[in-house]
């Protein structure tokens, strides 16, 4: 199965950087769902009476999910700690939008933690339960990214990336 991957984008602004990260997150959701489907199909094919689950694919999906979840946490923490406060300083009229984005970050964190709890036992977790939890995270995250892009991309498009050096050398 071929999984689509976003083409690299030119990075000239903070909006471009945000979109690059969002593209990666979306691509990973597609890859992870395909790997989860493959894992559960292989597990079903190899689990007969007295047969252990196929460990290789389970380990792979576990590692990839952990990497994805760590990156998502890092991304949302960076937004909460640096991006959203900076936007609020320059665009106080967006307070309600920024509050909603921060609330969504917390909700996504809870959904992600539920998925990670299931992931801890990927070898025996019920496939439907895991895939439902994964699809919930994917749906919530996709909706969040779309909302965030609607409001933040126009604002961040005016911020150069990488930022200009500051200090005596960068003047």
């Amino acid at each position: 199965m071929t999984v689509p991957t976003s083409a690299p984008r030119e990075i000239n602004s903070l909006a471009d950087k945000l979109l690059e990260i969002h593209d990666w997150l979306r691509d990973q959701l597609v890859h992870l769902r395909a790997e989860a489907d493959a894992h559960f199909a292989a597990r079903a094919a190899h689990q007969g009476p007295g047969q252990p689950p196929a460990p290789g694919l389970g380990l792979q999906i576990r590692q990839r999910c952990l990497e994805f979840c760590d990156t998502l946490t890092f991304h949302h923490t960076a937004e909460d700690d640096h991006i959203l406060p900076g936007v609020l300083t320059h665009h106080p009229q967006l307070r309600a939008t920024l509050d909603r984005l921060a609330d969504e970050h917390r909700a996504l964190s809870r959904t992600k933690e539920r998925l990670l709890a299931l992931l801890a036992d990927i070898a025996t977790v019920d496939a439907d339960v895991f895939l439902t939890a994964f699809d919930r995270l994917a749906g919530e995250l996709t909706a969040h990214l779309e909302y965030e892009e609607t409001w933040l991309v126009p604002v961040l498009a005016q911020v150069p990336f990488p930022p200009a050096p500051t200090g005596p050398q960068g003047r």
Side-chain angles (χ1 to χ4, degrees):
M1 170 184 195
T2 304
V3 181
T5 302
S6 298
R9 83 174 48 244
E10 188 174 336
I11 308 298
N12 296 309
S13 70
L14 193 51
D16 295 332
K17 188 64 180 172
L18 180 76
L19 290 169
E20 177 187 53
I21 294 165
H22 287 187
D23 288 347
W24 184 88
L25 291 169
R26 286 182 178 104
D27 285 346
Q28 291 306 302
L29 288 172
V30 172
H31 288 290
L32 287 167
R33 184 55 156 93
E35 287 180 7
D37 287 340
H39 166 72
F40 290 117
R43 191 177 81 180
H46 291 95
Q47 277 190 321
Q51 290 181 311
L57 203 49
L59 180 59
Q60 178 180 326
I61 186 74
R62 183 168 158 60
Q63 289 172 332
R64 291 280 304 264
C65 271
L66 289 171
E67 174 188 318
F68 174 81
C69 288
D70 285 348
T71 302
L72 183 60
T73 298
F74 178 81
H75 173 64
H76 284 164
T77 300
E79 285 182 346
D80 290 341
D81 292 350
H82 304 290
I83 304 297
L84 301 183
V87 170
L88 182 60
T89 298
H90 298 285
H91 301 277
Q93 74 279 10
L94 294 178
R95 176 176 292 283
T97 299
L98 301 175
D99 288 346
R100 175 179 164 175
L101 291 172
D103 289 344
E104 288 179 0
H105 289 169
R106 287 187 290 280
L108 279 161
S109 180
R110 289 187 298 273
T111 303
K112 179 192 68 179
E113 291 304 318
R114 286 191 288 275
L115 181 68
L116 287 173
L118 295 171
L119 186 64
D121 197 15
I122 192 70
T124 59
V125 69
D126 179 88
D128 290 335
V129 170
F130 182 86
L131 293 174
T132 298
F134 181 86
D135 290 344
R136 179 176 177 187
L137 175 67
E140 288 178 14
L141 179 58
T142 299
H144 169 74
L145 297 177
E146 290 169 3
Y147 182 78
E148 189 170 272
E149 290 167 3
T150 298
W151 291 98
L152 290 187
V153 166
V155 171
L156 299 179
Q158 300 169 34
V159 180
F161 192 89
T166 59
Q169 308 88 322
R171 290 186 195 183

